[in-house]
């Protein structure tokens, strides 16, 4: 960021503003269109070259996956399903595949495919219907308080993830 003459990185406040993020995670625009819109807005304030470099760097960011944590979760579930319920863009399947997570989840509920994002209550209703389960037959773990509060308001056993030990203990207690 300093090499671009910027004191702070404007990319994430722009990209993750409701104006840009919501259309991407509800499937109204593709991941590529989201990036194009962010690039365009950044170019208005910082110039095309800076905007292009910021978005290019964003595209190249690699995620960190705690595979050990995932293995421990999977072992605690035994005969239960592990479902990824996420607010993601149209690029989710490609991202899961490149991270080596393509086959790790029994099912995936992606907000951009169902047209609504967490914490909307309709997201949870759609997810339960797609999974053909009742709220009593599942647990929900998320790192966003609003999402956990929404799930709890529907009577879904939920945990705000803060650390792996607590999450594993929650799963053990609920899925034993």
């Amino acid at each position: 960021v300093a090499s671009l003459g910027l004191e702070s990185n404007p990319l994430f406040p722009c990209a993750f503003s409701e104006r840009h993020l919501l259309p991407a995670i509800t499937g109204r625009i593709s991941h590529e269109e989201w990036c194009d819109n962010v690039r365009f807005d950044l170019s208005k304030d910082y110039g095309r070259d800076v905007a292009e470099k910021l978005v290019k760097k964003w595209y190249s960011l690699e995620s960190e996956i705690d595979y050990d944590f995932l293995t421990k979760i999977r072992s605690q579930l035994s005969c239960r399903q592990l479902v990824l319920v996420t607010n993601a863009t149209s690029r989710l399947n490609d991202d899961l595949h490149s991270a080596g997570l393509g086959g790790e989840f029994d099912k995936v509920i992606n907000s951009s495919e169902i047209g609504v994002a967490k914490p909307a209550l309709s997201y949870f209703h759609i997810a339960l219907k797609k999974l053909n389960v009742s709220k009593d037959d599942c647990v929900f773990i998320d790192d966003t308080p609003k999402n956990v509060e929404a799930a709890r308001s529907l009577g879904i056993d939920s945990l705000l993830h803060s650390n792996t030990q607590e999450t594993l203990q929650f799963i053990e207690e609920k899925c034993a």
Side-chain angles (χ1 to χ4, degrees), residues 9-21 34 37-39 41-42:
N9 188 342
L11 176 73
F12 293 119
C14 179
F16 292 96
S17 67
E18 188 172 323
R19 176 174 172 255
H20 285 298
L21 182 62
W34 178 39
N37 292 345
V38 168
R39 184 182 299 108
D41 273 8
L42 289 171

Side-chain angles (χ1 to χ4, degrees), residues 121-171:
L121 298 181
S122 57
Y123 178 95
F124 296 97
H125 289 296
I126 292 168
L128 291 170
K129 186 174 182 175
K130 282 185 156 295
L131 297 169
N132 196 28
V133 296
S134 76
K135 62 180 174 57
D136 300 326
D137 294 330
C138 60
V139 297
F140 176 73
I141 300 164
D142 200 289
D143 60 356
T144 303
K146 285 182 179 182
N147 296 343
V148 172
E149 291 166 16
R152 282 183 182 154
S153 77
L154 293 174
I156 299 171
D157 257 339
S158 303
L159 175 74
L160 178 63
H161 173 76
S162 59
N163 66 67
T164 54
Q165 183 178 353
E166 181 181 323
T167 297
L168 290 170
Q169 183 176 350
F170 176 79
I171 293 169

Side-chain angles (χ1 to χ4, degrees), residues 8-165:
S8 63
N9 188 342
L11 176 73
F12 293 119
C14 179
F16 292 96
S17 67
E18 188 172 323
R19 176 174 172 255
H20 285 298
L21 182 62
L22 198 56
I25 64 170
T26 56
R28 290 184 297 217
I29 62 173
S30 69
H31 184 87
E32 292 73 21
E33 290 170 302
W34 178 39
C35 293
D36 289 344
N37 292 345
V38 168
R39 184 182 299 108
F40 178 78
D41 273 8
L42 289 171
S43 70
K44 290 189 288 187
D45 292 329
Y46 303 98
R48 193 165 41 177
D49 185 53
V50 169
E52 184 60 42
K53 287 178 180 172
L54 287 169
V55 172
K56 189 174 184 175
K57 179 71 175 167
W58 180 27
Y59 255 91
S60 68
L61 292 177
E62 294 196 20
S63 56
E64 288 185 32
I65 311 291
D66 188 341
Y67 294 98
D68 184 52
F69 182 43
L70 184 58
T71 300
K72 288 177 181 174
I73 290 172
R74 175 67 75 193
S75 71
Q76 286 186 336
L77 294 176
S78 61
C79 64
R80 304 223 180 171
Q81 291 187 57
L82 177 59
V83 179
L84 175 63
V85 289
T86 184
N87 288 345
T89 70
S90 60
R91 197 173 92 170
L92 177 65
N93 291 334
D94 291 339
D95 288 345
L96 289 173
H97 180 73
S98 28
L101 296 173
E104 290 297 323
F105 301 98
D106 297 305
K107 294 196 175 132
V108 175
I109 309 291
N110 180 354
S111 62
S112 68
E113 293 177 356
I114 64 172
V116 63
K118 299 177 290 180
L121 298 181
S122 57
Y123 178 95
F124 296 97
H125 289 296
I126 292 168
L128 291 170
K129 186 174 182 175
K130 282 185 156 295
L131 297 169
N132 196 28
V133 296
S134 76
K135 62 180 174 57
D136 300 326
D137 294 330
C138 60
V139 297
F140 176 73
I141 300 164
D142 200 289
D143 60 356
T144 303
K146 285 182 179 182
N147 296 343
V148 172
E149 291 166 16
R152 282 183 182 154
S153 77
L154 293 174
I156 299 171
D157 257 339
S158 303
L159 175 74
L160 178 63
H161 173 76
S162 59
N163 66 67
T164 54
Q165 183 178 353

